Each structure stands twice: as C-alpha cells, then as structure tokens.
Amino acid sequence: MGSVGLLTAAAALVLCLPGDAVADGAGGDGGGGKGAHACAADQWPWGCLAECESSGDWHVNTGNTFYGGLQFWQPTWEAFGGLDFAERADLASRGEQIKIAKRVQAAQGWGAWPECAQRYGLIPPARTHVVRRGETLGEIAEKYHVKGGWRALYSANRSTIGPDPRKLPVGIKLRLPRKAKAHSRPESDD
C-alpha cells in the first residue's frame, strides 16, 4: 500500500474508474483491463486487486503488517476510517474493506496498489530505460526530455545508481520521471 495522503472534498467527488465505469465498481468494460481478466466479473476492480494482493482472501492476516483482501497497511486502514468497521482490515467484511479502499483510491490513486493496479491496467507501466555501455545521465535525460535534465534523472534513481552520478552501471534500469517525454518509444521491460 502507498503512504496515506490528504484528500479534499472536491477531489473525493470526482472519483472515476478507467473507461467511465462508476466508482462502486459497476459499469461497462471501458478499459483498465477489465475485459481481459476473469476476476473482472467480481465487482471490478476490487475482486481483481484482491486476487492479486491476497489470492482473493479477504480475511488474510499473514503477520506482515498488511491485512485483508486488499492488503491494507494498518496506519492507512486507521487514517481512512477503517476503525469504524473493525480493528484491522482482515476483521472487516469485504464490503467494508472496499468502502475504505475507495477512500484510499480517491486520495492516493491506483498507485496505492502499484503492482496489482499496473497488472490490471489501472495505471500505466512505469517508464524505464536500461543503461547501455557508454551512456551518461545527461544523454539519457536529453533523449527522453527529462525536465530538470540529468540532475532530475539522478535524483529519481540515486538509490539505484549510487553516490556518483558519473559511474553509471551498465544494465541497470532507470525510472524516468513522470514528466519525461520521449523522442522515440522508451525502452521498458514489459
């Protein structure tokens, strides 16, 4: 789960699913991967996210500090009103977990479930570039029109690159900042 975010009342009112499906999971197949997955018939997208996050076990408690079908982190569960239903998400009903999940999604977006939301097309795959021999951060930043140049690219990948931006290991995958625009199609490992 992602970190807890703040939400304005106006932002909560504009919650929509991809393809103009209504916020409660009903609606057509208008995108977001719904038609391509068997779990889509199970209250899209919540059944699919639960299938991915917890193998569809809405009452799972593996002791890893994430609970329930949508694997709520306890502070997130509490911050979004989960205690109104149960002490932890795994002790709440499926419907109650979905109610809290909708609040989380409205505040944090589908990135609150990054891997699973990407799997079902709710968020686009991360833009990446695999470093080739002889490339520099400056060249890569220029190729993808990274706002802020090599410094912004380094900042987004410092933990992967290490302390010296001039020593760019061949074969590492760099995450391109969201505002990057490519001249050509970016390389990715989809």
Side-chain angles (χ1 to χ4, degrees):
M1 302 287 313
S3 61
V4 175
L6 298 176
L7 172 66
T8 65
L13 295 175
V14 296
L15 169 62
C16 291
L17 295 175
D20 298 326
V22 294
D24 70 358
D29 177 40
K34 180 178 178 182
H37 305 285
C39 59
D42 184 16
Q43 202 172 1
W44 173 255
W46 306 112
C48 288
L49 290 175
E51 183 64 34
C52 177
E53 291 284 344
S54 66
S55 298
D57 183 351
W58 290 88
H59 300 289
V60 68
N61 175 358
T62 61
N64 67 354
T65 72
F66 293 90
Y67 304 97
L70 299 168
Q71 291 292 279
F72 286 97
W73 185 44
Q74 186 63 25
T76 301
W77 179 252
E78 293 172 9
F80 285 87
L83 294 178
D84 291 345
F85 301 115
E87 184 180 332
R88 295 186 318 262
D90 61 305
L91 302 173
S93 72
R94 170 191 168 113
E96 292 165 341
Q97 290 181 50
I98 290 172
K99 186 174 227 173
I100 299 304
K102 288 177 182 179
R103 294 175 188 170
V104 172
Q105 194 280 332
Q108 299 180 5
W110 295 113
W113 301 272
E115 292 177 22
C116 295
Q118 186 175 335
R119 175 183 295 176
Y120 295 109
L122 297 167
I123 57 176
R127 293 171 32 102
T128 61
H129 175 84
V130 177
V131 175
R132 294 184 181 133
R133 187 174 313 282
E135 287 184 314
T136 67
L137 286 176
E139 292 167 344
I140 296 166
E142 185 177 329
K143 176 180 179 179
Y144 293 101
H145 293 240
V146 174
K147 185 177 180 179
W150 73 267
R151 286 179 178 86
L153 187 57
Y154 177 59
S155 178
N157 293 280
R158 180 181 225 123
S159 62
T160 303
I161 296 169
D164 189 346
R166 295 170 296 172
K167 294 183 179 175
L168 197 55
V170 173
I172 64 167
K173 187 188 302 185
L174 299 178
R175 184 179 57 78
L176 300 172
R178 286 268 180 220
K179 296 187 183 210
K181 292 183 182 174
H183 266 193
S184 59
R185 190 176 186 136
E187 297 172 36
S188 98
D189 295 334
D190 295 332

